[in-house]
Amino acid sequence: MRSAPARHLISLRDLSDSDLQGIVQRGAALARLAADGTPLASGSLAGTVVGIYFTKTSTRTRTAFSAGALRLGAGLTTYGAQDLQTNTGESNEDTGRVLSRMLTALVARTAGDPAQMRAWTDQNRMAVINAMSADEHPTQALADLTTMTLHFGAVDGLRILYVGEGNNTAAALALALSRYRGVHLELRTPAGYGLATDILESAVAQARANGSVVHERHDLADLPTGLDVVYTARWQTTGTSKPDPGWRAAFTPFQVNSALMDHARKAVFMHDLPAHRGEEVTGDVLDGPASIAFPQAENKMYSAMAVLEWCHGVW
Ligand code: CP
């Protein structure tokens, strides 16, 4: 068990290439064991206690980390939006210092400024894991790459079309895929709802260094050919709202439907879920033969287990 300083995962940019790829490979290995019927209960996190602090709604990520921690033998304690003394003025730094004396990891969804999570890392005993901040959803991307690894055997060389808002899921996907070789990630986002400039520039530069391409534009013309994956996300990202009351008009052309999938006949369809059928995706695509969105959701648990093991120095 961990004797070295805690390993935090606030951003994918915190991970070395080997750590990122190690987490993805470990998540895929756990998924394969589960598919073979091997019980995943293990004692690798026995004696640890993981805190689950979600101030925003979650079905998948919260359950993935809770079930994953329990399967690894950890204890759990959970907090909701109203539970911590930060609500009454205790500083984030003090909160992190205190929790680190009792917990070995804190999995947190704030959907807010990642600076709050960074403040909790002002200690070296408790790992802090970002389960979604405003700018990035790093554990979603790790689960997505795990899913791609399971489906295609490797991530290198894949051609991926992301359609929809340049939100925290898209940001994490761009930061993660650009770490691989020969990948083409094409982002098609409504004008005014693209990737944050710093994230896009970082992903583009990283991709170029790896012989990959990350490219964004704001229409659906001239889609790339030979696509392996079409990916979308809900138009109303968790924890956010759109000030423009006319935002739907900008998003409507970006629906993933059978006409769009006709441009990508050999591609699988991925979605981080939750979905709104009839908005970002039609039901025939989400529930159709190309969709791997529900195995993708299951893979969040195997990936969460890999993240927890990595944070605790199991491997
Ligand atoms: N994809 C995702 O993060 O799902 P939840 O919001 O249900 O955790």
Side-chain angles (χ1 to χ4, degrees), residues 80-279:
Q82 307 305 321
D83 290 343
L84 295 182
Q85 294 287 18
T86 44
N87 287 355
T88 62
E90 187 167 29
S91 74
N92 286 308
E93 287 80 359
D94 287 354
T95 303
R97 283 185 208 129
V98 171
L99 293 180
S100 73
R101 291 172 177 272
M102 306 175 200
L103 303 178
T104 52
L106 181 68
V107 183
R109 169 171 293 188
T110 63
D113 188 339
Q116 182 184 23
M117 295 187 194
R118 291 274 175 217
W120 296 330
T121 68
D122 189 26
Q123 44 77 31
N124 63 8
R125 297 161 62 138
M126 174 186 75
V128 180
I129 300 168
N130 177 0
M132 182 192 280
S133 54
D135 61 332
E136 205 183 316
H137 195 355
T139 64
Q140 180 65 48
L142 292 168
D144 296 341
L145 268 58
T146 299
T147 300
M148 292 176 197
T149 300
L150 287 164
H151 191 84
F152 296 103
V155 175
D156 286 338
L158 292 181
R159 294 172 66 77
I160 295 139
L161 171 66
Y162 176 92
V163 181
E165 188 169 31
N167 62 9
N168 41 25
T169 287
L173 205 56
L175 290 172
L177 286 169
S178 57
R179 305 284 279 274
Y180 286 78
R181 298 199 64 76
V183 167
H184 185 125
L185 172 63
E186 183 80 14
L187 298 132
R188 297 300 180 97
T189 56
Y193 298 96
L195 243 60
T197 305
D198 67 314
I199 299 265
L200 183 61
E201 287 178 356
S202 179
V204 166
Q206 201 165 242
R208 193 175 296 130
N210 287 317
S212 292
V213 173
V214 171
H215 178 248
E216 181 184 51
R217 58 186 272 187
H218 303 301
D219 59 45
L220 285 177
D222 304 319
L223 291 176
T225 57
L227 289 167
D228 298 296
V229 178
V230 175
Y231 193 125
T232 194
R234 185 162 76 154
W235 289 343
Q236 289 156 307
T237 301
T238 299
T240 70
S241 60
K242 295 179 174 48
D244 176 7
W247 66 266
R248 276 179 193 280
F251 277 73
T252 300
F254 292 83
Q255 182 186 69
V256 176
N257 50 34
S258 56
L260 191 150
M261 291 301 288
D262 278 347
H263 289 284
R265 288 184 180 276
K266 75 176 178 76
V268 295
F269 172 73
M270 294 179 66
H271 192 310
D272 60 349
L273 301 179
H276 282 170
R277 288 172 179 79
E279 290 200 351

